[in-house]
Amino acid sequence: MACSDSRRRRVWTAARSGTRSGAAGFAALLGLTALALGPLARPALAELRWRQGVFPVATFLGYTSHFGQRVGPSGRSEPHYGLDIAAPMGSPIRSWWGGVVADVIDDGACGVGLVITSGPYEHIYCHLSGSAAGGVYRSGPVALGPGMAVRGGQLIGHVGMSGRTTGPHLHWGIRYQGRWLNPGAILKAMARARSAR
Ligand SMILES: [Zn+2]
């Protein structure tokens, strides 16, 4: 049985080796292959499935840090493996997609956070309010631990300032088979899917 530390390493190790058997098949089932396997402009069926995606913050104030290289607090250029979405303290956070809680994070960088897996995708939520005592994330009515199922759009927590942050925001990351994706590109795909007929 893995302790929480080893679980965290498993999730955060960049070069997670191997792929999950059947992952591509699961992705095809969800209609998610267009993003990972080809240009987002690929039309039709796969695009429509992105309508299921849920914007993770209820009270949007703005994007405060994009995905990719950025100048960090140290003044040096560093990679940023997610999208920072500013929102008032305590704003509800909703799961981008239905899935299963893979990990509850409690460290100095992400702070209190959650990792949810949806087939070959992992979506990560950092700097939450609430606590992660005993490996269970608790905030208001929310209590989530590894192995628990969540629906797309389900309330999974609240915006806070835990970990390395200078203001209340959600750090939202998405990985596909261990490779970080740009959440901004996914939001664009979701917007296109909603405007498509
Ligand atoms: Zn961030």
Side-chain angles (χ1 to χ4, degrees):
M1 187 171 162
C3 67
S4 61
D5 274 342
S6 67
R7 275 207 311 273
R8 189 158 66 241
R9 270 195 298 278
R10 174 178 68 74
V11 169
W12 286 97
T13 300
R16 187 156 162 190
S17 60
T19 57
R20 297 167 199 212
S21 61
F26 194 98
L29 199 67
L30 293 175
L32 296 178
T33 48
L35 181 71
L37 304 180
L40 285 172
R42 187 177 293 178
L45 280 178
E47 283 276 316
L48 294 177
R49 298 297 187 96
W50 287 105
R51 280 181 184 170
Q52 292 175 35
V54 175
F55 190 75
V57 173
T59 313
F60 173 78
L61 290 182
Y63 299 112
T64 49
S65 192
H66 59 80
F67 175 89
Q69 289 296 127
R70 68 170 182 183
V71 176
S74 63
R76 282 187 301 219
S77 180
E78 61 184 25
H80 182 233
Y81 296 115
L83 178 66
D84 289 351
I85 306 171
M89 279 294 286
S91 295
I93 296 170
R94 309 202 177 272
S95 184
W96 166 66
W97 211 275
V100 175
V101 176
D103 201 6
V104 175
I105 299 167
D106 188 7
D107 66 27
C110 178
V112 175
L114 283 172
V115 181
I116 295 171
T117 56
S118 300
Y121 287 82
E122 289 173 324
H123 28 131
I124 293 162
Y125 305 77
C126 288
H127 314 309
L128 309 184
S129 63
S131 77
V136 175
Y137 172 64
R138 296 180 195 278
S139 177
V142 176
L144 290 172
M148 292 178 64
V150 297
R151 301 181 314 279
Q154 181 175 326
L155 174 70
I156 55 169
H158 298 93
V159 170
M161 282 188 63
S162 59
R164 198 178 66 143
T165 174
T166 55
H169 75 278
L170 172 68
H171 170 100
W172 183 43
I174 298 190
R175 298 207 297 187
Y176 178 82
Q177 294 185 340
R179 187 166 55 91
W180 292 108
L181 303 178
N182 180 357
I186 288 172
L187 291 177
K188 283 179 186 168
M190 285 161 50
R192 261 203 309 275
R194 289 204 173 84
S195 62
R197 291 185 56 87

Coordinates of all heavy atoms in Angstrom, one line a residue, residues 13-91:
T13 N 5.8 13.3 -10.9 CA 7.0 13.0 -11.7 C 6.7 13.2 -13.2 O 5.8 12.7 -13.7 CB 7.4 11.5 -11.5 OG1 7.7 11.3 -10.1 CG2 8.6 11.2 -12.3
A14 N 7.5 14.1 -13.8 CA 7.2 14.6 -15.1 C 7.3 13.4 -16.1 O 6.4 13.2 -17.0 CB 8.2 15.7 -15.5
A15 N 8.3 12.6 -16.0 CA 8.5 11.5 -16.9 C 7.9 10.2 -16.4 O 8.5 9.3 -16.1 CB 10.0 11.3 -17.2
R16 N 6.6 10.3 -16.3 CA 5.9 9.0 -15.9 C 6.0 8.0 -17.0 O 5.6 8.3 -18.1 CB 4.4 9.4 -15.6 CG 3.7 8.3 -15.0 CD 2.5 8.9 -14.3 NE 1.5 7.9 -14.1 CZ 0.3 8.2 -13.6 NH1 0.0 9.4 -13.4 NH2 -0.6 7.3 -13.4
S17 N 6.6 6.9 -16.7 CA 6.9 6.0 -17.8 C 5.7 5.2 -18.2 O 4.8 4.8 -17.4 CB 8.0 5.1 -17.4 OG 7.6 4.3 -16.2
G18 N 5.7 4.8 -19.5 CA 4.7 3.9 -20.0 C 3.4 4.6 -20.2 O 3.1 5.7 -19.7
T19 N 2.5 3.9 -20.8 CA 1.1 4.4 -21.0 C 0.2 3.3 -20.4 O 0.5 2.2 -20.3 CB 0.8 4.5 -22.5 OG1 1.0 3.3 -23.2 CG2 1.7 5.6 -23.2
R20 N -1.0 3.8 -20.1 CA -1.9 2.9 -19.5 C -2.5 2.1 -20.6 O -2.9 2.6 -21.7 CB -3.1 3.7 -18.9 CG -2.5 4.5 -17.7 CD -3.6 5.5 -17.3 NE -2.9 6.6 -16.6 CZ -3.5 7.2 -15.6 NH1 -4.8 7.0 -15.3 NH2 -2.9 8.1 -15.0
S21 N -2.6 0.8 -20.4 CA -3.2 -0.1 -21.5 C -4.6 0.3 -21.7 O -5.4 0.6 -20.7 CB -3.1 -1.5 -21.0 OG -3.8 -1.7 -19.9
G22 N -5.0 0.4 -22.9 CA -6.4 0.8 -23.2 C -6.7 2.3 -23.1 O -7.8 2.7 -23.3
A23 N -5.7 3.1 -22.8 CA -5.9 4.5 -22.6 C -6.4 5.1 -23.9 O -7.4 5.9 -23.9 CB -4.7 5.2 -22.1
A24 N -5.8 4.8 -25.0 CA -6.2 5.4 -26.3 C -7.6 5.0 -26.6 O -8.4 5.8 -27.1 CB -5.2 5.0 -27.4
G25 N -8.0 3.8 -26.3 CA -9.3 3.4 -26.5 C -10.3 4.1 -25.7 O -11.4 4.5 -26.2
F26 N -10.0 4.3 -24.5 CA -10.8 5.1 -23.5 C -11.0 6.5 -24.1 O -12.1 7.1 -24.0 CB -10.2 5.1 -22.1 CG -11.2 5.5 -21.1 CD1 -11.9 4.6 -20.3 CD2 -11.4 6.9 -20.9 CE1 -12.8 5.0 -19.4 CE2 -12.3 7.3 -19.9 CZ -13.0 6.4 -19.1
A27 N -9.9 7.1 -24.5 CA -9.9 8.5 -25.0 C -10.9 8.5 -26.2 O -11.6 9.5 -26.4 CB -8.5 9.0 -25.4
A28 N -10.8 7.5 -27.1 CA -11.6 7.5 -28.3 C -13.1 7.5 -27.9 O -13.9 8.1 -28.5 CB -11.2 6.4 -29.2
L29 N -13.3 6.7 -26.9 CA -14.7 6.6 -26.4 C -15.2 7.9 -25.9 O -16.4 8.3 -26.1 CB -14.7 5.6 -25.2 CG -16.0 4.9 -24.8 CD1 -16.5 4.0 -25.9 CD2 -15.8 4.2 -23.5
L30 N -14.4 8.7 -25.3 CA -14.8 10.0 -24.8 C -14.8 11.0 -25.9 O -15.3 12.1 -25.7 CB -13.9 10.5 -23.7 CG -13.9 9.7 -22.4 CD1 -12.8 10.2 -21.4 CD2 -15.3 9.8 -21.7
G31 N -14.2 10.7 -27.0 CA -14.1 11.7 -28.1 C -13.0 12.7 -27.9 O -13.0 13.8 -28.4
L32 N -12.0 12.3 -27.2 CA -11.0 13.2 -26.7 C -9.7 13.1 -27.6 O -8.7 13.8 -27.3 CB -10.6 13.0 -25.3 CG -11.7 13.3 -24.3 CD1 -11.3 12.9 -22.9 CD2 -12.2 14.7 -24.4
T33 N -9.7 12.3 -28.5 CA -8.4 12.0 -29.2 C -7.9 13.2 -30.1 O -6.7 13.3 -30.3 CB -8.5 10.8 -30.1 OG1 -9.7 10.9 -30.9 CG2 -8.5 9.5 -29.3
A34 N -8.8 14.0 -30.5 CA -8.4 15.1 -31.4 C -7.4 16.0 -30.8 O -6.4 16.4 -31.5 CB -9.7 15.9 -31.8
L35 N -7.5 16.3 -29.6 CA -6.6 17.2 -28.9 C -5.2 16.6 -28.9 O -4.2 17.3 -29.2 CB -7.0 17.6 -27.5 CG -6.1 18.5 -26.8 CD1 -6.2 19.9 -27.4 CD2 -6.4 18.6 -25.3
A36 N -5.1 15.4 -28.5 CA -3.8 14.8 -28.2 C -3.1 14.3 -29.5 O -1.9 14.3 -29.6 CB -3.9 13.7 -27.2
L37 N -3.9 13.9 -30.4 CA -3.3 13.2 -31.6 C -3.3 14.1 -32.9 O -2.6 13.7 -33.8 CB -4.2 12.0 -31.9 CG -4.3 11.0 -30.8 CD1 -5.1 9.8 -31.2 CD2 -2.9 10.5 -30.3
G38 N -3.9 15.2 -32.9 CA -3.9 16.0 -34.1 C -4.3 17.5 -33.7 O -4.5 17.8 -32.6
P39 N -4.3 18.3 -34.8 CA -4.6 19.7 -34.6 C -6.0 19.9 -34.0 O -6.9 19.1 -34.4 CB -4.5 20.3 -36.0 CG -4.5 19.2 -36.9 CD -4.0 18.0 -36.2
L40 N -6.2 20.9 -33.2 CA -7.5 21.1 -32.7 C -8.6 21.5 -33.7 O -9.7 21.4 -33.5 CB -7.5 22.3 -31.6 CG -6.8 21.9 -30.3 CD1 -6.6 23.1 -29.5 CD2 -7.7 20.9 -29.6
A41 N -8.1 21.9 -34.9 CA -9.0 22.3 -36.0 C -9.7 21.1 -36.6 O -10.7 21.2 -37.3 CB -8.2 23.0 -37.1
R42 N -9.2 19.9 -36.2 CA -9.9 18.7 -36.7 C -11.4 18.8 -36.3 O -11.7 18.9 -35.2 CB -9.3 17.4 -36.1 CG -9.8 16.2 -36.7 CD -9.1 15.0 -36.2 NE -7.7 15.0 -36.6 CZ -6.8 14.0 -36.2 NH1 -7.2 13.1 -35.3 NH2 -5.6 14.1 -36.6
P43 N -12.2 18.7 -37.3 CA -13.7 19.0 -37.1 C -14.5 17.9 -36.6 O -14.1 16.8 -36.3 CB -14.1 19.4 -38.5 CG -13.3 18.5 -39.4 CD -12.0 18.3 -38.7
A44 N -15.8 18.2 -36.5 CA -16.9 17.3 -36.4 C -17.0 16.6 -35.0 O -16.9 17.2 -34.0 CB -16.9 16.3 -37.5
L45 N -17.1 15.3 -35.0 CA -17.6 14.6 -33.9 C -16.8 14.8 -32.6 O -17.3 15.1 -31.6 CB -17.6 13.1 -34.2 CG -18.8 12.6 -35.0 CD1 -18.7 11.1 -35.3 CD2 -20.1 12.8 -34.2
A46 N -15.5 14.7 -32.8 CA -14.6 14.9 -31.6 C -14.8 16.2 -31.0 O -14.8 16.4 -29.7 CB -13.2 14.6 -31.9
E47 N -14.9 17.3 -31.8 CA -15.1 18.6 -31.3 C -16.4 18.7 -30.4 O -16.4 19.4 -29.4 CB -15.3 19.6 -32.5 CG -13.9 19.9 -33.1 CD -13.2 21.0 -32.4 OE1 -13.9 22.0 -32.0 OE2 -12.0 20.9 -32.2
L48 N -17.4 18.1 -30.9 CA -18.7 18.2 -30.2 C -18.6 17.7 -28.8 O -19.2 18.2 -27.9 CB -19.8 17.5 -31.0 CG -20.1 18.1 -32.3 CD1 -21.2 17.2 -33.0 CD2 -20.6 19.5 -32.2
R49 N -17.8 16.6 -28.6 CA -17.7 16.1 -27.3 C -17.1 17.0 -26.2 O -17.3 16.9 -25.0 CB -16.8 14.8 -27.3 CG -17.3 13.7 -28.2 CD -18.6 13.2 -27.6 NE -19.0 12.0 -28.4 CZ -18.8 10.8 -28.0 NH1 -18.2 10.5 -26.9 NH2 -19.2 9.7 -28.7
W50 N -16.3 18.0 -26.7 CA -15.7 19.0 -25.8 C -16.8 19.8 -25.1 O -16.5 20.5 -24.1 CB -14.7 19.9 -26.5 CG -13.5 19.2 -26.8 CD1 -13.1 18.7 -28.1 CD2 -12.4 18.8 -25.9 NE1 -11.9 18.1 -28.0 CE2 -11.5 18.1 -26.7 CE3 -12.2 19.0 -24.6 CZ2 -10.3 17.6 -26.1 CZ3 -11.1 18.5 -24.0 CH2 -10.1 17.8 -24.8
R51 N -18.0 19.8 -25.6 CA -19.1 20.5 -24.9 C -19.3 20.0 -23.4 O -19.8 20.6 -22.6 CB -20.4 20.2 -25.6 CG -20.6 21.1 -26.8 CD -22.0 20.8 -27.4 NE -22.1 21.6 -28.6 CZ -23.1 21.4 -29.5 NH1 -24.0 20.5 -29.3 NH2 -23.2 22.2 -30.5
Q52 N -18.9 18.7 -23.2 CA -19.0 18.2 -21.9 C -18.1 18.8 -20.9 O -18.3 18.7 -19.7 CB -18.7 16.7 -21.9 CG -19.7 15.8 -22.7 CD -19.3 14.4 -22.8 OE1 -18.7 13.9 -21.9 NE2 -19.5 13.8 -23.9
G53 N -17.0 19.4 -21.4 CA -16.0 20.0 -20.4 C -16.7 21.2 -19.7 O -17.5 21.9 -20.2
V54 N -16.3 21.3 -18.4 CA -16.8 22.4 -17.5 C -15.7 23.3 -17.1 O -14.6 22.9 -16.7 CB -17.4 21.7 -16.3 CG1 -17.9 22.8 -15.3 CG2 -18.6 20.8 -16.7
F55 N -15.9 24.6 -17.3 CA -14.9 25.6 -16.9 C -14.8 25.5 -15.4 O -15.8 25.5 -14.7 CB -15.4 27.0 -17.3 CG -14.3 28.1 -17.0 CD1 -13.2 28.2 -17.9 CD2 -14.4 28.9 -16.0 CE1 -12.3 29.1 -17.7 CE2 -13.5 29.9 -15.8 CZ -12.4 30.0 -16.6
P56 N -13.6 25.4 -14.8 CA -13.5 24.9 -13.4 C -13.7 26.0 -12.3 O -13.8 25.6 -11.2 CB -12.0 24.4 -13.4 CG -11.3 25.2 -14.4 CD -12.3 25.4 -15.5
V57 N -13.8 27.3 -12.7 CA -14.0 28.3 -11.7 C -15.3 29.0 -11.9 O -15.6 29.4 -13.0 CB -12.8 29.3 -11.7 CG1 -13.1 30.4 -10.7 CG2 -11.5 28.6 -11.3
A58 N -16.1 29.1 -10.8 CA -17.4 29.7 -10.9 C -17.4 31.2 -11.1 O -18.2 31.8 -11.8 CB -18.3 29.3 -9.7
T59 N -16.4 31.8 -10.5 CA -16.4 33.3 -10.5 C -15.1 33.7 -11.1 O -14.1 33.9 -10.4 CB -16.5 33.9 -9.1 OG1 -17.6 33.2 -8.4 CG2 -16.8 35.4 -9.1
F60 N -15.1 33.9 -12.4 CA -13.9 34.2 -13.2 C -13.5 35.7 -13.1 O -14.3 36.5 -13.3 CB -14.1 33.8 -14.6 CG -13.0 34.2 -15.6 CD1 -11.9 33.4 -15.6 CD2 -13.1 35.3 -16.4 CE1 -10.8 33.8 -16.5 CE2 -12.1 35.6 -17.3 CZ -10.9 34.9 -17.3
L61 N -12.2 35.9 -12.7 CA -11.8 37.3 -12.7 C -10.7 37.6 -13.7 O -10.5 38.7 -14.1 CB -11.1 37.6 -11.3 CG -12.1 37.7 -10.1 CD1 -11.3 38.1 -8.8 CD2 -13.2 38.7 -10.3
G62 N -10.0 36.6 -14.2 CA -9.0 36.8 -15.3 C -8.0 35.7 -15.2 O -7.9 34.9 -14.2
Y63 N -7.2 35.6 -16.3 CA -6.1 34.7 -16.3 C -4.8 35.5 -15.8 O -4.5 36.5 -16.4 CB -5.8 34.1 -17.7 CG -7.0 33.4 -18.2 CD1 -7.8 33.9 -19.3 CD2 -7.4 32.2 -17.6 CE1 -8.9 33.2 -19.7 CE2 -8.5 31.5 -18.1 CZ -9.3 32.0 -19.1 OH -10.4 31.3 -19.6
T64 N -4.1 34.9 -14.8 CA -3.0 35.7 -14.3 C -1.7 35.1 -14.7 O -0.6 35.7 -14.5 CB -3.1 35.7 -12.7 OG1 -3.4 34.4 -12.2 CG2 -4.2 36.7 -12.3
S65 N -1.7 33.9 -15.2 CA -0.4 33.3 -15.7 C -0.7 32.2 -16.7 O -1.5 31.3 -16.4 CB 0.4 32.7 -14.5 OG 1.7 32.4 -15.0
H66 N -0.1 32.3 -17.8 CA -0.4 31.3 -18.9 C 0.4 30.1 -18.8 O 1.4 30.0 -18.0 CB -0.3 32.0 -20.3 CG 1.1 32.5 -20.5 ND1 2.1 31.7 -20.9 CD2 1.6 33.7 -20.4 CE1 3.2 32.4 -21.0 NE2 2.9 33.7 -20.7
F67 N 0.1 29.1 -19.6 CA 0.9 27.9 -19.7 C 2.2 28.1 -20.4 O 2.2 28.8 -21.4 CB 0.1 26.8 -20.4 CG 0.8 25.5 -20.6 CD1 0.7 24.5 -19.7 CD2 1.4 25.3 -21.8 CE1 1.3 23.3 -19.9 CE2 2.1 24.1 -22.1 CZ 2.0 23.1 -21.1
G68 N 3.3 27.5 -20.0 CA 4.5 27.6 -20.7 C 5.6 28.4 -19.9 O 5.5 28.5 -18.7
Q69 N 6.6 28.8 -20.6 CA 7.7 29.5 -19.9 C 7.2 30.9 -19.4 O 6.4 31.6 -20.0 CB 8.9 29.8 -20.9 CG 9.7 28.6 -21.2 CD 10.4 27.9 -20.1 OE1 10.2 26.7 -19.8 NE2 11.2 28.7 -19.3
R70 N 7.7 31.2 -18.2 CA 7.3 32.5 -17.6 C 8.4 32.9 -16.7 O 9.2 32.1 -16.3 CB 6.0 32.4 -16.8 CG 6.1 31.6 -15.6 CD 4.9 31.7 -14.7 NE 5.1 30.8 -13.5 CZ 4.2 30.7 -12.5 NH1 3.0 31.3 -12.7 NH2 4.4 30.0 -11.5
V71 N 8.4 34.2 -16.3 CA 9.3 34.6 -15.3 C 8.7 34.4 -13.9 O 7.6 34.9 -13.6 CB 9.7 36.1 -15.5 CG1 10.6 36.6 -14.4 CG2 10.3 36.4 -16.8
G72 N 9.3 33.5 -13.1 CA 8.8 33.2 -11.9 C 9.1 34.1 -10.8 O 9.8 35.1 -11.0
P73 N 8.7 33.8 -9.6 CA 8.9 34.7 -8.4 C 10.4 34.9 -8.2 O 10.8 35.9 -7.6 CB 8.3 33.9 -7.2 CG 7.3 33.0 -7.9 CD 7.8 32.7 -9.2
S74 N 11.2 34.0 -8.6 CA 12.7 34.1 -8.4 C 13.3 35.1 -9.4 O 14.5 35.4 -9.3 CB 13.3 32.7 -8.6 OG 13.1 32.2 -9.9
G75 N 12.5 35.5 -10.4 CA 13.1 36.4 -11.4 C 13.7 35.7 -12.6 O 14.1 36.3 -13.6
R76 N 13.7 34.3 -12.5 CA 14.2 33.5 -13.6 C 13.1 32.9 -14.4 O 12.0 32.7 -13.9 CB 15.1 32.4 -13.1 CG 16.5 32.9 -12.7 CD 17.4 31.8 -12.3 NE 16.8 31.0 -11.2 CZ 17.6 30.5 -10.3 NH1 18.9 30.6 -10.3 NH2 17.0 29.8 -9.3
S77 N 13.4 32.6 -15.7 CA 12.4 31.9 -16.5 C 12.2 30.5 -16.1 O 13.2 29.8 -15.8 CB 12.9 32.0 -18.0 OG 11.9 31.3 -18.8
E78 N 11.0 30.1 -16.0 CA 10.7 28.7 -15.5 C 9.5 28.2 -16.2 O 8.6 29.0 -16.6 CB 10.6 28.7 -14.0 CG 9.4 29.5 -13.5 CD 9.3 29.6 -12.0 OE1 10.3 29.4 -11.3 OE2 8.2 29.8 -11.5
P79 N 9.3 26.9 -16.4 CA 8.1 26.4 -17.0 C 6.9 26.5 -16.0 O 7.1 26.3 -14.8 CB 8.4 24.9 -17.3 CG 9.5 24.6 -16.3 CD 10.3 25.8 -16.0
H80 N 5.8 26.7 -16.6 CA 4.5 26.8 -15.8 C 3.6 25.8 -16.4 O 3.1 26.0 -17.5 CB 4.0 28.2 -15.8 CG 2.7 28.4 -15.0 ND1 1.5 28.9 -15.5 CD2 2.5 28.1 -13.7 CE1 0.6 28.9 -14.5 NE2 1.2 28.4 -13.4
Y81 N 3.3 24.7 -15.7 CA 2.6 23.6 -16.3 C 1.1 23.7 -16.0 O 0.4 22.7 -15.6 CB 3.1 22.3 -15.7 CG 4.5 22.0 -16.1 CD1 5.6 21.9 -15.1 CD2 4.9 21.8 -17.4 CE1 6.9 21.7 -15.5 CE2 6.2 21.5 -17.8 CZ 7.2 21.5 -16.8 OH 8.5 21.2 -17.2
G82 N 0.5 24.8 -16.2 CA -0.9 25.0 -16.0 C -1.3 26.4 -16.4 O -0.6 27.2 -16.9
L83 N -2.6 26.7 -16.0 CA -3.2 28.0 -16.3 C -3.6 28.5 -14.9 O -4.3 27.8 -14.2 CB -4.3 27.8 -17.3 CG -5.1 29.1 -17.6 CD1 -4.3 30.0 -18.4 CD2 -6.4 28.7 -18.4
D84 N -3.3 29.8 -14.6 CA -3.7 30.4 -13.4 C -5.0 31.2 -13.6 O -5.0 32.1 -14.5 CB -2.6 31.2 -12.8 CG -1.5 30.4 -12.3 OD1 -1.6 29.2 -12.2 OD2 -0.4 31.0 -11.9
I85 N -6.0 30.9 -12.9 CA -7.3 31.6 -13.1 C -7.6 32.3 -11.7 O -7.9 31.6 -10.7 CB -8.4 30.6 -13.4 CG1 -8.0 29.7 -14.6 CG2 -9.7 31.3 -13.6 CD1 -9.0 28.6 -14.9
A86 N -7.6 33.6 -11.8 CA -7.9 34.4 -10.6 C -9.4 34.3 -10.3 O -10.2 34.4 -11.2 CB -7.4 35.8 -10.7
A87 N -9.7 34.2 -9.0 CA -11.1 34.2 -8.5 C -11.1 34.6 -7.1 O -10.1 34.5 -6.4 CB -11.7 32.8 -8.7
P88 N -12.2 35.1 -6.6 CA -12.2 35.5 -5.2 C -12.0 34.3 -4.3 O -12.4 33.2 -4.6 CB -13.7 36.1 -5.0 CG -14.1 36.4 -6.4 CD -13.4 35.4 -7.3
M89 N -11.5 34.6 -3.1 CA -11.3 33.5 -2.1 C -12.7 32.8 -1.9 O -13.7 33.5 -1.7 CB -10.9 34.2 -0.7 CG -9.4 34.5 -0.6 SD -8.4 33.0 -0.6 CE -8.7 32.4 1.0
G90 N -12.6 31.5 -1.9 CA -13.8 30.7 -1.6 C -14.7 30.4 -2.8 O -15.7 29.8 -2.6
S91 N -14.3 30.9 -3.9 CA -15.1 30.6 -5.1 C -15.2 29.1 -5.4 O -14.2 28.4 -5.2 CB -14.5 31.3 -6.4 OG -14.5 32.7 -6.3

